[in-house]
């Protein structure tokens, strides 16, 4: 990843007519050098112990340093979605695409692997640490001085891998939603979390309502209109930041509101009234159970 792509691109970014900017190089390869250095240090330390191996040799003290050595993974995983989106956008440029393909073919360090594949490799590496540490602990007698430290390192890696697996699931969910929703290019963000979604009716204007598919994230609520010309495709039509959002449990009635409309809105067991800044929106869930799920999800997000 570093020798096959990052270093050649960094050099090209300094050219008179660069195909990529230094900002792009930094955004795409973010923590690759830090990850490489962390693994290099770990390998050197373990190799020194293995070269002087005896029955009393301990590895656990080195393994317990994994939290510090693997800290760059936090930033790498957090920003991976941005790097992937940036790469996809740049690949639309023909000259850039040809550059990437030539590096894949010509640079021995790339080993014929695509840039996208190599960018994902650090993520897949996390899956291997836990079984490897499990094998180390299995081979370490409980009476050995190293057993406690190996167990501590294993427990850390289990928690670390589980956390990043959850982040990856969220990222993939956002990517899946982005593929459905048009008009929202900034949907995939490092700290954004999908909380709930489903079909609703926008009853704000009265009548039979307007069909929407509503998505709740930890920072924003969006409503999307189904596209008749493209099955399963949606277009962003409503967006409300979460923090100013609040429930209205009592309908605000003014002189322009008809009595029948006010009563129908107020007593509907499916209605959800929300206010964002100075705008009030009335949504209708398909079932009482789904309304309860929406209320719980939105309230939970507001309370977080």
């Amino acid at each position: 990843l570093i020798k096959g792509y990052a270093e050649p691109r960094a050099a090209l970014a300094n050219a008179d007519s660069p195909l990529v900017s230094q900002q792009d190089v930094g955004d795409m390869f973010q923590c690759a050098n830090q990850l490489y250095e962390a693994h290099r240090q770990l390998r050197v330390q373990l190799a020194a112990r293995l070269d002087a191996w005896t029955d009393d040799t301990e590895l656990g003290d080195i393994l317990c340093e994994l939290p510090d050595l693997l800290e760059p993974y936090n930033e790498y995983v957090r920003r991976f979605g941005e790097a992937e989106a940036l790469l996809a956008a740049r690949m639309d440029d023909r000259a850039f695409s040809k550059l990437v393909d030539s590096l894949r073919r010509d640079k021995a360090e790339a080993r014929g692997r695509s840039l996208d594949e190599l960018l994902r490799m650090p993520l897949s590496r996390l899956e291997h640490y836990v079984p490897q540490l499990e094998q180390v602990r299995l081979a370490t007698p409980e009476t050995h001085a190293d057993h406690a430290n190996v167990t501590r390192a294993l427990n850390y890696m289990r928690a670390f891998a589980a956390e990043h697996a959850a982040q990856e699931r969220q990222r993939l969910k956002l990517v899946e939603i982005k593929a459905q929703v048009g008009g929202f290019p900034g949907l995939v963000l490092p700290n954004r979390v999908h909380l709930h979604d489903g079909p609703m009716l926008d009853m704000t204007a009265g009548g039979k309502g307007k069909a929407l598919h509503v998505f709740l994230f930890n920072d924003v609520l969006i409503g999307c209109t189904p596209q008749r010309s493209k099955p399963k495709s949606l277009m962003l039509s409503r967006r409300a930041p979460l923090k100013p959002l609040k429930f209205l449990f009592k309908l605000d009635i003014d002189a322009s509101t008809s009595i029948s409309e006010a009563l129908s809105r107020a007593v509907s067991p499916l209605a959800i009234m929300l206010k964002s800044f100075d705008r009030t929106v009335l949504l209708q869930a398909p079932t009482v159970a789904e309304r309860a799920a929406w209320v719980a999800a939105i309230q939970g997000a507001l309370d977080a």
Side-chain angles (χ1 to χ4, degrees):
L1 178 61
I2 295 171
K3 297 292 184 181
Y5 289 98
E7 290 182 358
R9 286 198 181 187
L12 285 169
N14 291 320
D16 293 335
S17 300
L19 287 175
V20 289
S21 67
Q22 288 289 1
Q23 180 68 43
D24 284 350
V25 172
D27 289 344
M28 283 187 205
F29 299 101
Q30 353 139 1
C31 303
N33 283 300
Q34 293 96 316
L35 286 173
Y36 172 79
E37 182 59 23
H39 286 85
R40 189 193 66 79
Q41 291 179 20
L42 179 61
R43 185 178 185 278
V44 168
Q45 293 179 67
L46 291 174
R49 297 287 177 91
L50 293 174
D51 288 343
W53 187 265
T54 70
D55 289 344
D56 297 323
T57 299
E58 297 180 20
L59 300 177
D61 60 317
I62 297 175
L63 298 176
C64 282
E65 295 177 6
L66 283 173
D68 294 330
L69 289 173
L70 300 181
E71 181 60 30
Y73 268 113
N74 288 314
E75 185 68 7
Y76 193 92
V77 173
R78 190 182 74 82
R79 296 185 59 194
F80 179 78
E82 291 178 278
E84 188 177 49
L86 177 60
L87 175 61
R90 292 293 183 270
M91 288 296 285
D92 289 337
D93 181 270
R94 185 175 179 182
F96 184 88
S97 178
K98 287 179 66 176
L99 168 64
V100 171
D101 192 51
S102 67
L103 290 174
R104 178 185 61 79
R105 291 193 320 267
D106 303 336
K107 293 292 289 184
E109 294 87 350
R111 299 178 183 177
R113 292 173 174 170
S114 68
L115 177 54
D116 181 64
E117 182 183 359
L118 289 175
L119 282 173
R120 291 177 176 277
M121 283 187 67
L123 302 179
S124 64
R125 287 281 174 85
L126 286 173
E127 302 171 4
H128 302 303
Y129 288 120
V130 172
Q132 288 172 349
L133 285 173
E134 286 174 340
Q135 290 298 313
V136 173
R137 190 176 69 163
L138 188 63
T140 306
E142 291 186 14
T143 55
H144 195 283
D146 219 18
H147 192 273
N149 276 339
V150 171
T151 300
R152 189 176 300 112
L154 173 59
N155 290 338
Y156 166 77
M157 280 307 306
R158 281 173 172 165
F160 187 88
E163 176 186 351
H164 287 292
Q167 290 180 6
E168 177 64 0
R169 286 194 295 272
Q170 273 295 337
R171 187 189 69 80
L172 292 175
K173 181 63 177 179
L174 294 179
V175 171
E176 176 188 326
I177 294 171
K178 185 176 183 297
Q180 291 179 271
V181 177
F184 196 0
L187 193 151
V188 180
L189 293 177
N191 296 317
R192 178 166 287 159
V193 178
H194 167 260
L195 300 174
H196 194 66
D197 72 88
M200 302 273 272
L201 286 177
D202 183 354
M203 305 296 294
T204 308
K208 295 183 179 180
K210 181 179 180 180
L212 292 177
H213 194 100
V214 181
F215 294 90
L216 173 66
F217 304 96
N218 62 333
D219 62 332
V220 67
L221 182 75
I222 66 171
C224 304
T225 306
Q227 299 296 287
R228 294 180 180 178
S229 59
K230 298 180 180 179
K232 297 185 179 181
S233 293
L234 304 166
M235 180 60 65
L236 178 71
S237 59
R238 304 279 192 277
R239 176 165 57 180
L242 205 59
K243 288 307 177 185
L245 204 66
K246 64 179 181 178
F247 282 110
L248 293 180
F249 295 102
K250 185 177 180 181
L251 183 67
D252 292 330
I253 299 175
D254 56 33
S256 65
T257 307
S258 68
I259 295 177
S260 60
E261 182 182 3
L263 286 174
S264 67
R265 291 185 183 186
V267 302
S268 172
L270 304 177
I272 300 175
M273 284 183 288
L274 299 166
K275 187 170 185 178
S276 180
F277 297 109
D278 60 349
R279 178 172 182 179
T280 299
V281 176
L282 180 68
L283 300 175
Q284 181 173 299
T287 66
V288 172
E290 186 59 18
R291 179 191 183 277
W294 270 110
V295 170
I298 296 173
Q299 192 63 61
L302 293 175
D303 293 342

